[in-house]
């Protein structure tokens, strides 16, 4: 009796399945465009806040209040951006997380271990770095959570700007890492930045969520049902004292992200496809516009690296994120006996880990919550987030540029479609029909080359006067 061969060792950052590859490509395409808009919004905010002729108008617009006071929603524009628009961002994050849990990498515990452990280490180590740095300088420990978040849109925008074509497995890791990162950031906001609770409003929000879930299960359709209900749930969640973005992720997690017979896309996938451009192209850039406008001067930048709180944020993003994610990934691979993909090296993982040190949207939000009531320190921490993210982006750019030629070759190999059937060739190497199509293509090319060769040979013979060999027929 023959014994079965031992299972092949699992590869870390191996090639994605075709459906997962297509989903990641679509998601990252939208996030990249949104990331470029995010960068433009951040630059516009800094210019608006620091040009003397415009800075007063920035403050006036940011702090202009609008909304029904009777419903507890008389909020500033800045507040609406942070609590209202970011709820859309977290709604998409909730759908992404649900999809990952039921159809993506997180549905397999072995595959999920890598991004989950990497994300946890990528949050724990920056928090530890901040705590040690701030406590050593006698600063406040309230900002420990600020450097724990990764901004996927900003990171992808950096990739787009520097022109690095990361292999799809590394891009998928970055995306999944950011999804898990967002989940834990939401939990941090809910647990550590909730003070006084209004249980009546919280109960009303819970009832609204229950109704939202019931309507989904009954198959009720129509945006005119869900959008007004979502607004009521959001308003009640805001008035309960829990950050209103929690409502967004809760509703996102309730959507069904698995397909049934006869469905091309799941309801969650369809809604995510509709809402993601709104989140990446409008909600997040507007939040950046009204959150990133901090006063920048030589003295202010100097204070970023001298104050314990701000230095803790910078070191947490640049050092803590890189070491945490790289260390978590290496330890997971080491103790699960998984081997790195043959096409990659650990230097590539380190470069991606440094890219994850770009913390913008959620870091700015947590900075506002952590130092609420201290406007000066809030602005300084925002400046530290910007500085840390820029340093992390610069470090990642240098590291990734060293390997850019190899990444481009890997990317081109992944995207090559010589048989023009819309499916990359690497996914069809074990399909006999693919090889028959390629044989037919090569046969057509060979026939064309033979025809050209015969034509060129005939043309050369015609150029010889009297035909070939007539001029020198006699003996030498």
């Amino acid at each position: 009796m023959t014994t079965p061969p031992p299972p092949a060792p699992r590869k870390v950052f191996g090639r994605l399945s075709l459906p997962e590859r297509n989903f990641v490509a679509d998601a990252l395409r939208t996030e990249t465009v949104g990331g470029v808009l995010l960068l433009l919004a951040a630059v516009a905010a800094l210019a608006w806040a620091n040009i003397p002729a415009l800075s007063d108008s920035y403050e006036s617009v940011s702090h202009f209040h609008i909304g029904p006071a009777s419903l507890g929603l008389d909020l500033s524009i800045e507040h609406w951006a942070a609590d209202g628009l970011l709820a859309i961002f977290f709604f998409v994050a909730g759908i992404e997380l649900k999809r990952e849990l039921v159809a993506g990498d997180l549905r397999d515990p072995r595959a999920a271990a890598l991004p989950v452990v990497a994300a946890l280490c990528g949050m724990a180590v920056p928090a530890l770095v901040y705590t040690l740095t701030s406590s050593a300088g006698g600063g406040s420990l309230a900002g420990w959570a600020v450097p724990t978040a990764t901004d996927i849109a900003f990171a992808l925008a950096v990739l787009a700007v520097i022109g690095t074509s990361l292999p799809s497995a590394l891009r998928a890791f970055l995306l999944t890492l950011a999804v898990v990162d967002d989940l834990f950031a939401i939990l941090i906001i809910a647990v550590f930045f909730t003070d006084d609770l209004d249980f009546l409003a919280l109960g009303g929000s819970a009832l609204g969520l229950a109704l939202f879930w019931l309507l989904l299960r009954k198959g009720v359709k129509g945006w005119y049902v869900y959008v007004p209900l979502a607004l009521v749930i959001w308003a009640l969640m805001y008035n309960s004292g829990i950050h209103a973005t929690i409502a967004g992720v809760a509703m996102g997690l309730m959507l069904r992200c698995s397909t049934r017979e006869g469905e091309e896309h799941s309801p969650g996938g369809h809604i995510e496809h509709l809402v993601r451009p709104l989140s990446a192209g409008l909600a997040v850039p507007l939040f950046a516009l009204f959150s990133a406008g901090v006063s920048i001067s030589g003295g202010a930048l100097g204070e970023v690296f001298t104050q314990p709180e701000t230095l803790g944020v910078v070191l947490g993003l640049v050092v803590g994120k890189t070491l945490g994610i790289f260390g978590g990934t290496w330890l997971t691979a080491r103790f699960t006996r998984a081997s790195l993909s043959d096409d990659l090296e650990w230097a590539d993982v380190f470069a991606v880990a440094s890219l994850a040190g770009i913390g913008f949207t959620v870091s700015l939000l947590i900075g506002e919550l952590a130092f609420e009531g201290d406007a000066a320190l809030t602005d300084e921490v925002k400046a530290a987030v910007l500085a840390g993210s820029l340093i992390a982006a610069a470090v990642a750019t240098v590291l990734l540029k060293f390997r850019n030629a190899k990444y481009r070759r890997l990317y081109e190999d992944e995207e090559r479609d010589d048989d023009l059937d819309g499916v990359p060739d690497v996914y069809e190497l074990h399909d006999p029909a693919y090889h028959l199509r390629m044989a037919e293509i090569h046969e057509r090319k060979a026939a064309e080359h033979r025809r050209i060769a015969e034509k060129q040979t005939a043309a050369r013979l015609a150029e010889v006067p009297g035909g070939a060999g007539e001029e020198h027929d006699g003996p030498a």
Side-chain angles (χ1 to χ4, degrees), residues 221-275:
K221 296 181 180 179
W223 65 268
Y224 45 83
V225 174
Y226 292 102
V227 172
L229 179 58
L231 292 174
V232 171
I233 293 170
W234 173 86
L236 289 169
M237 186 70 76
Y238 174 80
N239 281 285
S240 73
I242 295 178
H243 201 271
T245 53
I246 305 300
V249 74
M251 288 183 279
L253 286 170
M254 289 181 180
L255 292 173
R256 177 168 59 83
C257 292
S258 56
T259 55
R260 293 176 179 170
E261 188 176 354
E263 289 182 339
E264 185 176 354
H265 302 288
S266 67
H270 176 66
I271 293 172
E272 181 187 9
H273 180 73
L274 294 175
V275 179

Side-chain angles (χ1 to χ4, degrees), residues 39 43 46 154 158 301 317-318 357-360 383-397:
L39 285 173
V43 172
L46 289 171
F154 205 149
V158 170
L301 288 175
L317 288 171
V318 177
I358 299 174
F360 193 76
V385 170
L386 294 173
S389 298
L390 288 174
I391 294 171
V395 171
T397 298

Side-chain angles (χ1 to χ4, degrees), residues 107-127:
R107 75 185 186 279
D108 177 4
R110 291 183 65 202
L114 181 66
V116 170
V117 172
L120 284 172
C121 293
M123 299 183 83
V125 176

Side-chain angles (χ1 to χ4, degrees), residues 2-300:
T2 60
T3 58
R10 189 170 62 86
K11 293 288 186 182
V12 178
F13 306 119
R15 185 177 298 124
L16 303 176
S17 65
L18 183 58
E20 185 71 6
R21 175 254 183 203
N22 291 338
F23 170 81
V24 168
D26 290 340
L28 295 182
R29 194 175 298 114
T30 305
E31 291 290 355
T32 301
V33 174
V36 173
L37 294 176
L38 178 63
L39 285 173
L40 295 175
V43 172
L46 289 171
W48 192 0
N50 287 277
I51 295 175
L54 301 175
S55 57
D56 289 341
S57 66
Y58 182 81
E59 290 294 322
S60 299
V61 173
S62 296
H63 297 138
F64 180 77
H65 278 245
I66 189 173
S70 58
L71 299 178
L73 297 174
D74 182 21
L75 310 178
S76 67
I77 298 295
E78 182 181 2
H79 212 159
W80 275 110
D83 288 79
L85 292 177
L86 277 195
I88 301 173
F89 167 79
F90 280 109
F91 174 69
V92 174
I95 300 175
E96 286 178 339
L97 179 62
K98 181 69 173 289
R99 197 207 71 84
E100 288 291 334
L101 289 170
V102 301
D105 286 344
L106 300 184
R107 75 185 186 279
D108 177 4
R110 291 183 65 202
L114 181 66
V116 170
V117 172
L120 284 172
C121 293
M123 299 183 83
V125 176
L128 179 62
V129 169
Y130 175 90
T131 301
L132 293 175
T133 305
S134 189
S135 59
S140 170
L141 300 183
W144 63 271
V146 175
T148 60
T150 293
D151 194 304
I152 183 65
F154 205 149
L156 292 173
V158 170
L159 285 176
V161 170
I162 65 177
T164 296
S165 300
L166 277 183
S168 59
L170 285 178
R171 287 177 175 254
F173 172 70
L174 191 59
L175 179 62
T176 307
L177 181 80
V179 170
V180 178
D181 193 298
D182 287 340
L183 169 66
F184 288 112
I186 292 163
L187 293 175
I188 288 173
I189 291 171
V191 173
F192 295 99
F193 297 103
T194 298
D195 298 324
D196 299 324
L197 285 177
D198 183 330
F199 288 98
L200 184 62
L202 183 59
S205 183
L207 287 175
L209 287 170
L211 178 59
F212 190 88
W213 179 85
L214 183 63
L215 292 173
L216 288 172
R217 291 302 170 268
K218 293 294 184 181
V220 176
K221 296 181 180 179
W223 65 268
Y224 45 83
V225 174
Y226 292 102
V227 172
L229 179 58
L231 292 174
V232 171
I233 293 170
W234 173 86
L236 289 169
M237 186 70 76
Y238 174 80
N239 281 285
S240 73
I242 295 178
H243 201 271
T245 53
I246 305 300
V249 74
M251 288 183 279
L253 286 170
M254 289 181 180
L255 292 173
R256 177 168 59 83
C257 292
S258 56
T259 55
R260 293 176 179 170
E261 188 176 354
E263 289 182 339
E264 185 176 354
H265 302 288
S266 67
H270 176 66
I271 293 172
E272 181 187 9
H273 180 73
L274 294 175
V275 179
R276 184 188 286 275
L278 177 64
S279 168
L282 182 66
V284 174
L286 281 178
F287 167 76
L289 182 64
F290 292 108
S291 292
V294 294
S295 298
I296 301 295
S297 64

